[in-house]
Amino acid sequence: MKRNLQIKELFLKNFDKPITELKFKNLYELIVCVMLSAQCTDKRVNLITPNLFKAYPDIKSLANANLSSLKSYIQSCSFFNNKAQNLIKMAKAVCENFNGEIPLNEKDLKSLAGVGQKTAHVVLIEWCGANFMAVDTHVFRVSHRLNLSKAKTPEATEEDLTRIFKDNLNYLHQAMVLFGRYTCKAKKPLCKECFLSHLCTSKDKEI
């Protein structure tokens, strides 16, 4: 469909090979950041992680972490109780099942506690440049406002976007995240500044 192709081209043109705003130095830090970022802002995660990674600099130290100590480092993060438990379980599983090496395929990543499809895809997108789509709240909102999907779940929305866009999915995912975060916001979207305004028929449109 011509309109969908235009949307894709405009995303790629306006966001030049975008990357996540999460700050990490290695694969271990990336997976921890992505797990913490679920239903929490990247900005908040970036405030938490410097001290967290000083205390737990690698997967082994995280696997051996004391639960209440770990919670104290991430308590300003949403759902920190669950996340702390999952982080330790994830780290233990990596040490026990994968010789301390975080796996880089979807099936094995999803076998880890706290790692669903979205988290697995974001890790593979950011670390490997994998041709995957991942749907968070921003991507979900943007894809529905632009009538790219009418699906009720993130997983089904991901299927729609993957079918429509086919390639460059890693860049399109991050472009849609940033677009949803700063332009096509949940409240008061910046429609007058939007490069997709002429292609948008959303009821939320503000002109």
Side-chain angles (χ1 to χ4, degrees), residues 33 36 51 63 75 84 99-100 112 115 131 137 139 163 182 188-189:
C33 285
L36 288 174
N51 288 332
Q75 61 187 355
N99 298 316
L112 303 172
V115 180
N131 190 44
T137 53
V139 177
R163 191 183 66 253
Y182 298 112
K188 297 186 179 173

Side-chain angles (χ1 to χ4, degrees), residues 62-162:
L62 185 63
N64 294 316
N66 172 277
L67 181 61
S68 57
S69 295
L70 178 58
K71 283 181 185 178
S72 72
Y73 284 99
I74 67 168
Q75 61 187 355
S76 63
C77 189
S78 53
F79 306 105
F80 72 93
N81 284 312
N82 279 347
K83 287 177 181 177
Q85 290 173 352
N86 282 334
L87 283 167
I88 293 173
K89 284 181 192 168
M90 177 277 292
K92 282 184 189 299
V94 169
C95 291
E96 290 165 13
N97 304 335
F98 301 101
N99 298 316
E101 298 287 331
I102 293 159
L104 283 171
N105 67 77
E106 184 179 1
K107 180 174 169 282
D108 288 341
L109 278 170
K110 284 167 71 174
S111 75
L112 303 172
V115 180
Q117 185 158 304
K118 188 201 85 172
T119 298
H121 282 192
V122 172
V123 168
L124 293 168
I125 285 167
E126 294 302 332
W127 194 253
C128 308
N131 190 44
F132 278 129
M133 178 57 66
V135 177
D136 67 356
T137 53
H138 299 298
V139 177
F140 189 84
R141 180 174 66 255
V142 167
S143 55
H144 284 72
R145 280 181 174 168
L146 288 172
N147 203 27
L148 296 168
S149 176
K150 290 185 168 68
K152 299 282 192 286
T153 66
E155 291 78 15
T157 302
E158 181 197 302
E159 285 177 23
D160 287 340
L161 294 174
T162 302

Side-chain angles (χ1 to χ4, degrees), residues 18-24 30 42 122 126 174 178 181:
I19 57 170
T20 181
E21 292 184 316
L22 291 168
K23 292 177 180 162
F24 60 92
L30 171 61
D42 288 2
V122 172
E126 294 302 332
Q174 194 55 49
L178 295 171
R181 189 174 288 161

Side-chain angles (χ1 to χ4, degrees), residues 176-193:
M176 291 177 82
V177 169
L178 295 171
F179 179 69
R181 189 174 288 161
Y182 298 112
T183 303
C184 194
K185 300 185 285 188
K187 293 174 183 172
K188 297 186 179 173
L190 307 179
C191 299
K192 287 177 184 171
E193 300 168 23

Side-chain angles (χ1 to χ4, degrees), residues 145 179 182-185 187-207:
R145 280 181 174 168
F179 179 69
Y182 298 112
T183 303
C184 194
K185 300 185 285 188
K187 293 174 183 172
K188 297 186 179 173
L190 307 179
C191 299
K192 287 177 184 171
E193 300 168 23
C194 177
F195 60 84
L196 292 171
S197 186
H198 63 297
L199 296 169
C200 178
T201 56
S202 171
K203 60 178 174 48
D204 298 330
K205 195 170 177 181
E206 294 187 3
I207 296 297

Side-chain angles (χ1 to χ4, degrees), residues 27-66:
L27 181 54
Y28 159 68
E29 290 188 3
L30 171 61
I31 195 169
V32 171
C33 285
V34 178
M35 287 174 70
L36 288 174
S37 73
Q39 293 172 290
C40 183
T41 64
D42 288 2
K43 203 174 276 186
R44 167 60 51 194
V45 173
N46 289 337
L47 290 172
I48 291 167
T49 49
N51 288 332
L52 177 68
F53 293 141
K54 264 186 204 160
Y56 310 104
D58 53 37
I59 199 81
K60 196 173 177 185
S61 56
L62 185 63
N64 294 316
N66 172 277

